[in-house]
Amino acid sequence: MTDRRIKELYKNEMVGSAPNKEALWSRIESGLEERSGDIAEAERSLAAEKRRFITLKKCLAFAAVCAVMAIIVPAAVKNTDISKADTANIAAEDSYYADEYAAAENKAEEACDDAEETVLAADVILDYNDLSFPESVNSGISCSGEPNGGEYFSEEDILVQTEGFIDAVVSNVYAGEDCIYYELSAVGVYGGIEESGTITVASRSKYPMLENREYLIPVRTVDGELETVFDGVPQIEFTEDGGMVYYNGWRSLDGEASVSLIYPKNGVDDFFYDRMKFSYKKDVSELIEKWNNTNSRL
């Protein structure tokens, strides 16, 4: 018997034992539709879950194709005219393609797992009021002074003027002559700032910090007292579950874990309510590194 005849016999056996392709694809598409429905439901409950957001359609489709290929396994060749050597050659060839299919399927599954851990849905927009914060109190105190830092936000200019950063919880708020004083319980400080006891910082911002909330505040010394460097936007704020709210002008805080955020308006002139960001990671290391590098050049 010729090699050509052997291959024809083998091919016929494979075709005869292969599953119904139309029925198989129907089941796969049905499974993908159910999975798509699960993903849509997950996106609708985004504000509650907060951590893991990803659309896996492409990964799942690729994995499904690999699965279809992998299950088309030829039946054993029963023709008695095929020699043992021919059978061995066919088995070796079959084993090669089976390994290729398995490798492709594993690659698809690994890609999905990696994406699920690191990628957030690009169109996610959160609401500030849905974030996790401790109970807080708005003092209702206002001030008459001009906001510190001028009108235009520039990360580079702010870092040049910053003497240090204070990561702290607001413990008390009271009014000054033309400012608001915040008494802070330090969680940590960056720069030559004394962190023992209560730290008092003056601000002239119309976006108040709230008692019992944690913030990262760039400060400088003016006339013997610490004051905020820039009051034109809300200060960087931390959530209870390790997240971070910040103005999008803080380029050093942007990363893969950041999404857009709708922030409450404090007045008709608020321009930044849709320019705020939320990061699921409380990571300020790049900002602090940039500040250190900026000051080392001065």
Side-chain angles (χ1 to χ4, degrees), residues 281-298:
K281 295 172 63 176
K282 177 186 174 181
D283 184 2
V284 299
S285 57
E286 188 172 336
L287 176 63
I288 299 303
E289 181 180 1
K290 185 175 181 180
W291 169 68
N292 279 324
N293 291 338
T294 298
N295 282 270
S296 68
R297 294 195 299 266
L298 299 179

Side-chain angles (χ1 to χ4, degrees), residues 90-163:
I90 293 172
E93 184 176 338
D94 182 39
S95 176
Y96 169 79
Y97 286 112
D99 289 343
E100 289 291 305
Y101 297 154
E105 187 176 15
N106 290 336
K107 185 175 181 180
E109 291 175 353
E110 290 173 1
C112 289
D113 292 340
D114 292 342
E116 189 173 7
E117 293 295 329
T118 61
V119 180
L120 297 168
D123 59 349
V124 170
I125 299 178
L126 300 184
D127 190 303
Y128 177 87
N129 294 316
D130 292 331
L131 301 180
S132 177
F133 292 108
E135 291 187 9
S136 57
V137 177
N138 187 337
S139 66
I141 299 172
S142 59
C143 63
S144 58
E146 287 294 319
N148 299 333
E151 298 181 3
Y152 300 103
F153 186 99
S154 166
E155 181 178 282
E156 289 72 19
D157 291 346
I158 291 172
L159 295 181
V160 167
Q161 300 175 58
T162 296
E163 181 181 327

Side-chain angles (χ1 to χ4, degrees), residues 49-64:
E49 297 189 9
K50 293 190 178 68
R51 289 283 178 187
R52 297 164 63 87
F53 304 90
I54 181 167
T55 301
L56 299 176
K57 272 189 175 180
K58 292 184 179 179
C59 288
L60 290 172
F62 180 45

Side-chain angles (χ1 to χ4, degrees), residues 163-165 189-194 288 291-292:
E163 181 181 327
F165 284 87
V189 299
Y190 305 90
I193 300 170
E194 179 61 47
I288 299 303
W291 169 68
N292 279 324

Side-chain angles (χ1 to χ4, degrees), residues 43 45-54 117-121 124-127 130-132 238-246 253-261 277-283:
E43 290 178 349
S45 61
L46 178 65
E49 297 189 9
K50 293 190 178 68
R51 289 283 178 187
R52 297 164 63 87
F53 304 90
I54 181 167
E117 293 295 329
T118 61
V119 180
L120 297 168
V124 170
I125 299 178
L126 300 184
D127 190 303
D130 292 331
L131 301 180
S132 177
F238 300 128
T239 61
E240 280 187 306
D241 54 357
M244 178 171 58
V245 174
Y246 62 96
L253 298 180
D254 267 343
E256 291 183 351
S258 298
V259 295
S260 297
L261 180 74
K277 302 290 289 289
F278 175 75
S279 173
Y280 293 96
K281 295 172 63 176
K282 177 186 174 181
D283 184 2

Side-chain angles (χ1 to χ4, degrees), residues 168-289:
V169 175
V170 177
S171 57
N172 188 36
V173 183
Y174 61 93
E177 183 176 347
D178 67 343
C179 66
I180 300 174
Y181 286 106
Y182 294 94
E183 292 183 346
L184 309 174
S185 298
V187 175
V189 299
Y190 305 90
I193 300 170
E194 179 61 47
E195 64 177 305
S196 61
T198 299
I199 303 174
T200 301
V201 174
S203 173
R204 295 171 180 82
S205 176
K206 65 176 182 178
Y207 312 110
M209 293 184 285
L210 306 181
E211 289 186 38
N212 206 32
R213 296 280 187 90
E214 183 181 354
Y215 300 87
L216 181 71
I217 312 165
V219 297
R220 62 186 177 187
T221 302
V222 177
D223 296 331
E225 66 179 16
L226 288 176
E227 69 173 25
T228 50
V229 176
F230 191 85
D231 289 334
V233 299
Q235 299 295 341
I236 299 165
E237 184 175 9
F238 300 128
T239 61
E240 280 187 306
D241 54 357
M244 178 171 58
V245 174
Y246 62 96
Y247 178 59
N248 66 4
W250 289 111
R251 304 294 186 188
S252 298
L253 298 180
D254 267 343
E256 291 183 351
S258 298
V259 295
S260 297
L261 180 74
I262 297 298
Y263 196 86
K265 278 192 171 184
N266 196 53
V268 294
D269 296 329
D270 282 355
F271 67 91
F272 64 84
Y273 74 98
D274 62 347
R275 301 183 189 179
M276 299 292 288
K277 302 290 289 289
F278 175 75
S279 173
Y280 293 96
K281 295 172 63 176
K282 177 186 174 181
D283 184 2
V284 299
S285 57
E286 188 172 336
L287 176 63
I288 299 303
E289 181 180 1

